[in-house]
Structure formats: structure tokens, C-alpha cells
Amino acid sequence: MRLLVIILLISQSVFAQKYFTRTGSTGFRASVKAFEPVQALNKSTSAIITNDGQIAAQLFISAFKFRLALMQEHFNENFMDSAEFPKATFRGKVEDINLSELKDSKEVVIKGVLNVKGIDKNIETKGTLSRIGDKVKLVSKLVVLPGDFNIEIPSLIRRKIAREVTIDLNYEFTEKK
């Protein structure tokens, strides 16, 4: 009986295994050739992934860093309204994964809901999950349309910004104990 209780306790802790990061990297590109690059990087994304692939991420919009301060100011004030909508979130699932069985690297499908400016959008994209020692790394790329999140691009600069925004994710998770 004692052995059964020990096995149940161990299995519970394995299934509840979580990995997290507070230094995930989220970048985006909306550049058009022949114009100033429109791109930024946020190196403080918080994210968590469970052993069965449940994933959640949150970042502060104002933490995106641009090469030009004026571009960063316009991004926060004119496009993203970061004072009113300070965070973007993602909640979803990495399909068909069990992190305790991940040995090397695996191509995965990620499905979930991206929330930007208070608007939810269903997302499905591909990525790669890799085990590196005791860490788990997620690399993925997704494409969104600014209009899906009520981000209006003024006609004066519309030709300087890509119609599709590419978002790059690079998260290195450590086990939460």
C-alpha cells in the first residue's frame, strides 16, 4: 500500500511539471524594402509551459525596443495604445507533446488565442521544441495582420509598413520546482 501511495505521488509531480521563463525573446518585423526597418525586440516575455503542452505567455508592449526612439514612441502611443493596453497575452497548447519524453528536438503545432489591444485572435503556427540539458527551448514564428487587432496604419505611412507582421518567439524554459 505504501509503495502505491509513493508511486501516485511521484506520478502526480511528473504530470504537474512546469517550465517557465521571464527572459523570453519576442520580436517582430513589419519592414518594407527601401524604407527604414520596422522591427523591435522584447527580451522580457514571461511564459510557462506544462509537461502536457499547455502554454501561456505575457509581455508588456512598452518593453519592445526599437533602433530609433521616435519609432518606439509612435509604436506605443499611436499604434498600440500601450497606456490603455499594456500587455499582450497568448494562451494555448502545443499539440501532441509530453515534455518528459522530449529527448532532442521536435517539430510541433501550437494552437491558441493571442490577445493584443483587448482583442482575441485564434492562432495556429508551427515551431520547434528542443531539450537542451535540463532546459526546454521553443522557437516559433507566426504572422498576423495589424487590422485583426484594430491597429490602424495611417495612409501617409502605409507603404512603409508591411501588411503582415512576422512575430518571432525564442523562449528558453527552466523547470519550475
Side-chain angles (χ1 to χ4, degrees):
M1 181 66 172
R2 181 187 280 179
L3 181 60
L4 181 61
V5 170
I6 290 172
I7 291 172
L8 284 172
L9 289 174
I10 290 172
S11 68
Q12 283 287 352
S13 67
V14 168
F15 292 122
Q17 222 172 3
K18 295 179 183 176
Y19 296 82
F20 76 102
T21 183
R22 288 191 182 101
T23 58
S25 174
T26 303
F28 77 84
R29 292 173 280 123
S31 300
V32 175
K33 290 183 181 181
F35 290 104
E36 185 69 39
V38 178
Q39 59 190 37
L41 186 61
N42 182 325
K43 292 184 178 181
S44 59
T45 303
S46 295
I48 190 164
I49 187 169
T50 62
N51 206 41
D52 67 350
Q54 297 294 322
I55 187 167
Q58 172 181 284
L59 61 78
F60 286 97
I61 299 296
S62 61
F64 277 104
K65 300 299 179 204
F66 288 76
R67 192 174 68 81
L68 301 174
L70 184 59
M71 195 177 286
Q72 186 166 331
E73 183 180 327
H74 286 301
F75 172 78
N76 283 298
E77 293 176 8
N78 302 335
F79 298 106
M80 298 302 293
D81 303 316
S82 63
E84 184 178 352
F85 303 103
K87 296 182 241 178
T89 61
F90 178 82
R91 292 185 192 279
K93 176 136 176 60
V94 178
E95 299 287 312
D96 301 319
I97 193 72
N98 182 334
L99 293 182
S100 65
E101 296 173 1
L102 182 65
K103 300 297 180 215
D104 295 316
S105 173
K106 180 178 180 181
E107 296 294 316
V108 294
V109 173
I110 305 163
K111 295 180 181 178
V113 177
L114 177 64
N115 181 288
V116 177
K117 290 184 69 174
I119 298 170
D120 289 340
K121 173 82 173 151
N122 288 327
I123 299 291
E124 181 174 333
T125 191
K126 293 181 180 178
T128 304
L129 265 176
S130 306
R131 171 140 341 249
I132 304 166
D134 61 346
K135 297 182 179 190
V136 173
K137 184 171 185 170
L138 172 65
V139 176
S140 184
K141 182 180 297 197
L142 58 125
V143 176
V144 298
L145 303 175
D148 288 345
F149 301 100
N150 288 341
I151 300 169
E152 296 179 24
I153 311 296
S155 59
L156 186 63
I157 61 169
R158 191 169 292 140
R159 64 188 182 101
K160 297 179 181 182
I161 298 176
R163 294 181 191 271
E164 296 180 332
V165 177
T166 302
I167 300 172
D168 296 302
L169 310 176
N170 191 338
Y171 302 160
E172 190 172 279
F173 298 93
T174 56
E175 189 174 355
K176 185 175 184 179
K177 297 182 183 195

